């Protein structure tokens, strides 16, 4: 049986590429003095937050996907207009120890720890903080 228009559906929000492209546009509209090469999605849900970062890397043809903060730092976009995306899980909600990490590059206790990890990885904070 042929599908009809009433059988179709469209997903909006996370983890769709268009949602992450919209967030990136908001970011690049604010950061005008430099190129953004690495973007981090910090969240507690592997099926939306982390999957969105994975989807953006696939969309930008970033393969293999980075598996750690160090790999994230060392990976360079193939196209100057693209970014490398990394998903960082936080233990403040949906995610629980032992759950599938679905491509997350790091697991942190909270957002503050995630931000510190990102900044240390890019050598923007002293390592002893």
């Amino acid at each position: 049986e042929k599908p009809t228009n009433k059988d179709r559906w469209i997903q909006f929000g996370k983890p769709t590429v268009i949602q992450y492209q919209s967030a990136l546009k908001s970011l690049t509209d604010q950061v005008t003095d430099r190129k953004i090469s690495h973007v981090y999605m910090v969240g507690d849900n592997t099926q939306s937050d982390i999957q969105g970062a994975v989807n953006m890397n696939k969309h930008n043809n970033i393969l293999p996907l980075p598996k750690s903060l160090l790999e994230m730092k060392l990976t360079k976009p193939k196209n100057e207009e693209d970014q490398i995306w990394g998903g960082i899980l936080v233990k403040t909600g949906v995610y629980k120890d032992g759950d599938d990490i679905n491509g997350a590059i790091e697991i942190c206790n909270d957002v503050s720890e995630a931000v510190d990890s990102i900044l240390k990885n890019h050598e923007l904070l002293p390592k002893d903080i």
Side-chain angles (χ1 to χ4, degrees), residues 22-86:
S22 176
L24 179 62
K25 179 165 180 2
S26 293
L27 183 61
T28 56
D29 285 349
Q30 295 175 54
V31 179
T32 58
D33 62 336
R34 69 192 73 166
K35 163 91 175 74
I36 297 172
S37 61
H38 294 76
V39 180
Y40 294 86
M41 175 61 198
V42 178
D44 67 352
N45 190 319
T46 61
Q47 298 306 310
S48 59
D49 304 322
I50 305 308
Q51 187 60 50
V54 169
N55 291 348
M56 285 301 293
N57 280 334
K58 289 179 179 178
H59 177 76
N60 292 338
N61 199 28
I62 306 298
L63 297 169
L65 299 174
K67 294 184 172 89
S68 68
L69 277 171
L70 180 59
E71 280 187 27
M72 177 83 178
K73 177 182 171 183
L74 298 175
T75 303
K76 304 291 182 220
K78 294 177 179 125
N79 178 337
E80 189 174 307
E81 298 304 311
D82 292 337
Q83 298 75 32
I84 309 296
W85 286 72

Side-chain angles (χ1 to χ4, degrees), residues 57-128:
N57 280 334
K58 289 179 179 178
H59 177 76
N60 292 338
N61 199 28
I62 306 298
L63 297 169
L65 299 174
K67 294 184 172 89
S68 68
L69 277 171
L70 180 59
E71 280 187 27
M72 177 83 178
K73 177 182 171 183
L74 298 175
T75 303
K76 304 291 182 220
K78 294 177 179 125
N79 178 337
E80 189 174 307
E81 298 304 311
D82 292 337
Q83 298 75 32
I84 309 296
W85 286 72
I88 299 182
L89 274 171
V90 290
K91 301 177 186 181
T92 56
V94 175
Y95 174 77
K96 303 292 181 232
D97 284 331
D99 290 352
D100 178 14
I101 63 170
N102 194 34
I105 61 169
E106 180 94 343
I107 301 171
C108 295
N109 288 315
D110 54 37
V111 173
S112 177
E113 183 180 300
V115 171
D116 285 349
S117 291
I118 294 164
L119 294 176
K120 284 180 189 175
N121 188 53
H122 286 277
E123 299 171 2
L124 297 172
L125 275 182
K127 294 189 183 337
D128 60 346

